[in-house]
Amino acid sequence: MFQNFRLTMAWLHTWFGLVLGFVLMVVFFFGSLSVFDREIDRWAIPQTRFEPQPMPSFDKILQPAFQDMRPSAENIEAARDRVNGPVAQSFPVIKTWGAYTTHRDPVLGLFAGYELPNAKDPDDNTIWGNRTIDPRSGASLPDDHLKIGSQFFYPLHYSLNFKWKDLGTWIVGFAALMMLVALVSGVVMHRKIFRELFTFRPRKHTQRSALDLHNLTGVVALPFHFIFAFSGLVIFGGIYFPITHTQLHPLHELHEKHEAAETGLPHERAGTAGTLASVDAMVAQAQRRWAAQGMAGDVGFLTVQHVGDANAYVSVYRAGTDRIALVGNGIHFKASTGEVLREDPPLTPVASVNTFLTGLHLQHFRHWLLRWLYVLGGLSGCVCIATGFIFFVEKRKRQHARQGVTGARWVDAFAVSTVTGMLIAALSMLIGNRLLPTDLPARGDWEQYIFWGAWALAFVHGIWRTAPVASARMAPAWAEQCWAIAVLGVAAALLNWVTTGDHLLRTLGNGYWPVAGVDLAILASSAIAVLAARKLKHRAQGQLGAPAVDGGAASSLETARA
């Protein structure tokens, strides 16, 4: 089919990169935003604009909050298909309580699992309730206020927020796997890969400068892109290879019982009522044990299993903000007495590699410089993919215009709708967050409707305003959507000032970087969009008087990639 191996790799790189690049663009961009998801949450929910808090007292704050919880109305409604007969309205058997926080969280997330009466599947008999509280007082925050960073942008980067049968996670996983193929094939294509580190000619024509920037960002961030694609696949390996619930399902329950016997942590409820001793005393003992091992730290995760039963036990996990590996050094206590049942042993080599890769990807550690490097790495992936789209279109649009085909035009339409369209959608969502009434029912749902609606409008606009590409001319859609980004960004920052009083002078003066940082990032996006729009206008004017250039003339390798 091809003359040599390099040409085969070029074809593979071009077409897999094109088809899956639209998915990967979303993954990279919203993955970059997810590095500061908690900070975006604080911008979106002004009631949470206070300093991060440690895990509060269980006895005084958490236990009363847990006792007041119940499954959410949405989860009860969703459980109708999982039960025989009508769904219950009371759930007296509490299977688990849990609280989780990080060093960047001012608020505390709680979850509770309840036994679902009359469940059709005994293995699927849990219904969940969730609550967010102010850890200083235990006061609940509104459940319908969307945490835009951690509950929308973050899952968007690994699941596309398409939850039906985990299809979004499967799509992203396949794209990540093919990204590894594209990275390897890209290295094979470029024999002079070291030169790509120092080659960028912005004053050349669009095709040449786009290819230079594509190569530069791809080479500079190559280790980052490879590690994150690979570690993402590792994290969701249980979904992609669900052997414990398929081939090994008959052994799954038996394994859990054997593990419970080995660890001393009860697998089943005893069926008799039990008491709960002071969990605060258990937390204090866990912290003393960590300090004795040279790992003094705060609690990041706390659970109570088999709540209210004689077999109940409490698990306390350390917040691993001082290390990359996602380990908790769990210590487990008998709930009724506070007796230590088990201290998690050192990890096996295989488990250590897994926790390191997971922690490297999820970046729960406390290191702000490294977080910004993550953002730059993710945005470099966006630039690499976007310039790949531009190169593909610029290389082919003249040839397609002569042949009367519209392939380049459609690729450009999807590219502009993805690259600039998702920024328009994200900024529109932030604007909607500031404009919607705080007491609006299902407020978080409305914010999501604004996001998808704005993106759909950007897509329609992209299709409409890329028509000139069919005549080998530059599409005005790019510049127009850049101007839209500039306007929306300034509007979002101004609305944050108007609706909360937290303008940049105040947040910078008070050193409140979570909100100031989001405002600065939004305004920086607007500034970059203005520069891009002006540059595109200049390029468009230059194209009007320039002679047509064959898209295959840039180099022999570029021709091979057609």
Side-chain angles (χ1 to χ4, degrees):
M1 182 177 178
F2 298 101
Q3 295 177 358
N4 55 52
F5 181 67
R6 288 183 65 247
L7 295 182
T8 303
M9 290 295 99
W11 182 92
L12 192 70
H13 183 87
T14 298
W15 292 103
F16 274 94
L18 175 66
V19 173
L20 296 172
F22 303 107
V23 175
L24 292 173
M25 190 75 188
V26 174
V27 172
F28 271 115
F29 179 70
F30 288 103
S32 300
L33 296 187
S34 297
V35 174
F36 291 107
D37 57 348
R38 265 49 176 201
E39 289 72 19
I40 296 173
D41 288 345
R42 291 199 230 175
W43 191 96
I45 306 178
Q47 301 96 312
T48 67
R49 293 182 182 180
F50 50 88
E51 292 303 315
Q53 304 293 315
M55 185 73 73
S57 164
F58 184 95
D59 300 345
K60 298 177 181 178
I61 301 293
L62 298 186
Q63 188 170 4
F66 279 126
Q67 291 171 339
D68 187 52
M69 289 176 64
R70 70 186 304 270
S72 65
E74 295 80 5
N75 289 342
I76 293 176
E77 181 64 28
R80 293 188 183 279
D81 295 335
R82 296 164 49 201
V83 299
N84 295 308
V87 65
Q89 295 302 311
S90 63
F91 305 90
V93 178
I94 306 172
K95 301 177 72 172
T96 183
W97 284 339
Y100 173 77
T101 190
T102 73
H103 66 283
R104 295 158 48 226
D105 275 315
V107 296
L108 183 68
L110 308 181
F111 64 88
Y114 304 84
E115 185 174 295
L116 181 62
N118 303 317
K120 295 178 181 178
D121 183 357
D123 295 331
D124 185 23
N125 68 341
T126 305
I127 185 170
W128 297 94
N130 299 88
R131 180 172 293 184
T132 301
I133 67 169
D134 182 341
R136 301 170 301 181
S137 63
S140 298
L141 297 176
D143 292 330
D144 58 351
H145 284 202
L146 179 67
K147 297 176 182 176
I148 290 178
S150 60
Q151 291 182 344
F152 189 80
F153 290 162
Y154 172 62
L156 186 62
H157 99 278
Y158 65 80
S159 71
L160 308 178
N161 284 340
F162 192 13
K163 300 177 182 179
W164 181 73
K165 295 188 179 298
D166 294 323
L167 185 57
T169 306
W170 279 96
I171 293 172
V172 171
F174 180 72
L177 182 63
M178 291 301 102
M179 176 181 163
L180 296 178
V181 175
L183 291 174
V184 173
S185 60
V187 170
V188 172
M189 288 165 53
H190 296 284
R191 287 175 293 190
K192 299 178 181 179
I193 192 169
F194 183 74
R195 190 182 69 180
E196 310 290 359
L197 285 166
F198 308 98
T199 304
F200 177 48
R201 291 159 283 188
R203 297 188 183 277
K204 292 285 188 178
H205 56 81
T206 304
Q207 179 180 327
R208 180 70 260 177
S209 58
L211 182 60
D212 282 348
L213 192 54
H214 178 75
N215 293 336
L216 176 63
T217 52
V219 171
V220 168
L222 180 63
F224 174 90
H225 297 158
F226 186 90
I227 287 295
F228 270 74
F230 178 73
S231 59
L233 290 170
V234 170
I235 291 171
F236 288 100
I239 291 179
Y240 305 138
F241 302 99
I243 57 174
T244 57
H245 297 286
T246 53
Q247 293 96 324
L248 300 182
H249 183 72
L251 299 177
H252 182 63
E253 185 72 12
L254 181 61
H255 170 74
E256 288 190 343
K257 291 179 179 179
H258 279 296
E259 186 177 50
E262 290 181 4
T263 61
L265 304 179
H267 179 257
E268 303 286 350
R269 299 175 70 91
T272 57
T275 58
L276 181 61
S278 171
V279 175
D280 288 351
M282 303 177 204
V283 168
Q285 184 176 355
Q287 291 178 314
R288 287 194 297 269
R289 286 174 175 258
W290 293 332
Q293 299 170 17
M295 299 185 302
D298 294 323
V299 176
F301 184 42
L302 186 152
T303 67
V304 182
Q305 302 292 340
H306 310 313
V307 178
D309 189 79
N311 275 352
Y313 64 92
V314 177
S315 299
V316 183
Y317 297 90
R318 181 178 175 274
T321 57
D322 57 345
R323 61 197 63 204
I324 292 178
L326 193 64
V327 293
N329 306 101
I331 301 177
H332 312 274
F333 302 86
K334 188 173 180 61
S336 58
T337 64
E339 171 195 356
V340 175
L341 297 176
R342 173 182 170 81
E343 191 167 347
D344 288 349
L347 298 174
T348 64
V350 172
S352 297
V353 171
N354 181 54
T355 56
F356 178 82
L357 289 174
T358 302
L360 186 67
H361 193 108
L362 299 180
Q363 30 83 35
H364 284 191
F365 44 80
R366 191 193 302 265
H367 197 301
W368 294 107
L369 176 59
L370 197 52
R371 283 186 175 277
W372 278 109
L373 291 176
Y374 274 42
V375 173
L376 293 176
L379 294 181
S380 72
C382 294
V383 174
C384 184
I385 296 168
T387 51
F389 292 151
I390 294 170
F391 174 76
F392 184 96
V393 173
E394 290 296 316
K395 180 176 173 59
R396 291 161 176 80
K397 68 181 182 182
R398 294 175 180 83
Q399 179 184 359
H400 287 190
R402 289 194 300 269
Q403 296 173 347
V405 297
T406 59
R409 180 264 174 98
W410 283 103
V411 171
D412 203 46
F414 278 93
V416 67
S417 303
T418 304
V419 177
T420 53
M422 65 183 179
L423 271 79
I424 290 173
L427 291 171
S428 298
M429 188 179 200
L430 296 180
I431 290 173
N433 170 269
R434 294 292 83 230
L435 290 178
L436 291 173
T438 56
D439 57 351
L440 178 69
R443 189 174 189 269
D445 292 340
W446 281 103
E447 291 171 357
Q448 295 181 60
Y449 300 152
I450 291 172
F451 177 90
W452 296 116
W455 204 343
L457 289 175
F459 181 66
V460 172
H461 173 266
I463 293 175
W464 171 41
R465 296 294 284 163
T466 53
V469 176
S471 302
R473 291 182 288 120
M474 180 177 287
W478 288 96
E480 290 167 357
Q481 293 205 10
C482 283
W483 284 117
I485 291 169
V487 172
L488 291 171
V490 173
L494 289 176
L495 284 170
N496 178 50
W497 174 12
V498 171
T499 56
T500 68
D502 287 337
H503 51 77
L504 268 174
L505 292 179
R506 171 184 288 181
T507 52
L508 288 174
N510 294 335
Y512 195 66
W513 287 103
V515 174
V518 174
D519 275 340
L520 287 172
I522 290 171
L523 293 175
S525 300
S526 293
I528 293 171
V530 170
L531 293 175
R534 292 172 63 86
K535 186 70 172 179
L536 288 166
K537 179 182 178 181
H538 176 73
R539 287 281 175 120
Q541 292 173 344
Q543 270 193 357
L544 293 177
V549 178
D550 189 346
S555 70
S556 58
L557 178 57
E558 294 168 22
T559 303
R561 294 175 65 179

